[in-house]
Amino acid sequence: MSKNRNVLVTNRLPAAVEARLDAEFSPKRGANGGSMTREEILEGAKETPCLLISPAVRFDREMIFALPASVKAVATVSVGFDHIDLEAARERGLIVTNTPDVLTDSTADIALVLMLSAARRTGEAERQVRAGKWGGYTPASSIMGIEVSGKKLGIYGMGRIGQALATRARALNMEIHYAGRRRLPPEQEQGAIYHPDLSGFLGEIDFLSLHCPSTAETYHWLDAAKIAQMKPSAIVINTARGAVLDDAALIAALKEGRLYAAGLDVFENEPNINPGYLELENVVLLPHIGSATTETRNAVCFKALDNLAAVFAGQEPPDRIA
Ligand code: DGY
């Protein structure tokens, strides 16, 4: 295979992916092998046609138009593309690809983990054991959670990941409710109850799991007004993107008992999360690990490489979004 396939690799990648990169492409990596800064990317991209990027660096309009003329395509190792200004990319004539489908199951798993963890207070429980504060079994445990089975799960954004979470939740005998832009056909709905009216939806459910994309329309979608329509016993889960909820409103509600708990894997301004979360016991915090299994991260990165291979072959990349 011809190796004149120069790719700037802006992040460290799993070992199997690095091996395929070395075998099939001519990768250029950051000096320390870690994540490259904006400035390092712009410098490293000189005379390079393709970039392999991640959500760690924002490809906003300024960045896109600052890219050297040599850059023809950018492949992100993520299904989410809120870090890329697609409109600017189209104007600049830049090909952009993402990685749909391959992380559906692992992300739905993490949403389920967060639901169970937040409801059963496993974070607090583990902290108690590690701190040597567990006094032994007692029927009136200091860590009493709430039951998940039989409860109503509300999914906002019933796409691939939302539907995969619904499949898992059905095994827990949960009743599935959903809201979003459109009602699904019956074969995808699988008995889930669609709510065209948001206040009816928010007032009925025991768990709210967010699965909408992060766009200008969904910015701080879950805000103080919507939280006020939810039950005080409800639990909020976010594995989508941090910007779809208003941190200040969620923190205030968790602090004041206007929500029971939350489970979050994504945050606005990652990794600099709102410090208010760190003071709360009733929130489970994960460091954006929705797709972090070896199998899934390999599949995600291989998909991005397939897209770049198509670009080098002069073909339409399968997952082109701009
Ligand atoms: C994705 O692929 O969008 C994951 O959230 C990782 O960013």
Side-chain angles (χ1 to χ4, degrees):
M1 186 172 300
S2 154
K3 287 265 287 181
N4 285 330
R5 309 207 291 176
N6 294 327
V7 178
L8 181 71
V9 184
T10 66
N11 291 89
R12 181 173 294 134
L13 298 169
V17 182
E18 296 282 6
R20 183 175 158 198
L21 261 169
D22 286 330
E24 297 179 22
F25 299 85
S26 303
K28 216 199 276 186
R29 299 179 171 93
N32 57 8
S35 294
M36 297 174 89
T37 63
R38 228 173 137 92
E39 293 69 32
E40 286 167 342
I41 293 171
L42 290 176
E43 182 57 30
K46 284 182 184 151
E47 289 162 40
T48 304
C50 292
L51 310 187
L52 190 58
I53 69 161
S54 80
V57 167
R58 295 201 74 72
F59 275 64
D60 52 23
R61 175 169 289 272
E62 193 191 336
M63 176 76 171
I64 286 172
F65 280 95
L67 287 171
S70 59
V71 179
K72 303 282 175 258
V74 167
T76 181
V77 290
S78 62
V79 66
F81 47 82
D82 52 307
H83 53 296
I84 308 173
D85 185 333
L86 292 186
E87 205 179 291
R90 287 187 197 106
E91 277 174 39
R92 155 72 168 69
L94 187 68
I95 295 173
V96 180
T97 64
N98 74 335
T99 60
D101 298 320
V102 283
L103 45 73
T104 303
D105 285 326
S106 56
T107 307
D109 287 348
I110 281 294
L112 183 64
V113 164
L114 286 172
M115 283 170 58
L116 290 164
S117 221
R120 301 299 303 273
R121 302 172 58 185
T122 64
E124 276 177 86
E126 213 219 346
R127 285 190 288 278
Q128 186 184 84
V129 175
R130 284 182 185 276
K133 291 186 181 157
W134 181 34
Y137 178 85
T138 150
S141 165
S142 60
I143 307 269
M144 295 278 217
I146 56 174
E147 201 83 14
V148 175
S149 296
K151 293 280 165 58
K152 294 179 181 177
L153 167 62
I155 296 176
Y156 184 67
M158 191 69 140
R160 285 177 287 246
I161 298 171
Q163 288 173 50
L165 176 63
T167 302
R168 286 154 176 73
R170 284 186 191 99
L172 295 174
N173 200 23
M174 296 185 86
E175 189 176 285
I176 315 298
H177 296 246
Y178 73 103
R181 275 178 309 174
R182 58 183 181 93
R183 185 168 182 176
L184 296 178
E187 64 279 10
Q188 284 175 32
E189 202 170 59
Q190 304 253 330
I193 300 158
Y194 179 62
H195 292 256
D197 163 45
L198 268 184
S199 61
F201 172 68
L202 292 168
E204 176 140 11
I205 57 182
D206 302 301
F207 290 79
L208 170 65
S209 193
L210 300 169
H211 296 283
C212 56
S214 176
T215 63
E217 291 73 46
T218 61
Y219 180 72
H220 287 188
W221 178 86
L222 185 66
D223 58 7
K226 288 199 181 71
I227 290 172
Q229 296 174 55
M230 297 178 67
K231 299 176 187 172
S233 55
I235 293 178
V236 170
I237 304 299
N238 191 9
T239 55
R241 282 292 183 266
V244 304
L245 64 79
D246 177 348
D247 288 324
L250 181 61
I251 289 167
L254 290 168
K255 215 182 236 172
E256 293 158 18
R258 289 184 284 110
L259 283 173
Y260 182 77
L264 309 173
D265 182 47
V266 287
F267 303 87
E268 206 168 355
N269 306 320
E270 290 175 16
N272 303 312
I273 76 170
N274 187 315
Y277 285 125
L278 304 178
E279 291 161 19
L280 297 174
E281 284 289 5
N282 57 346
V283 59
V284 182
L285 304 170
L286 296 180
H288 201 147
I289 56 167
S291 63
T293 65
T294 303
E295 296 89 333
T296 294
R297 284 282 165 90
N298 283 347
V300 163
C301 295
F302 288 149
K303 210 170 203 317
L305 294 191
D306 292 344
N307 281 302
L308 290 183
V311 171
F312 281 113
Q315 293 160 3
E316 180 69 3
D319 307 303
R320 184 169 181 174
I321 49 175

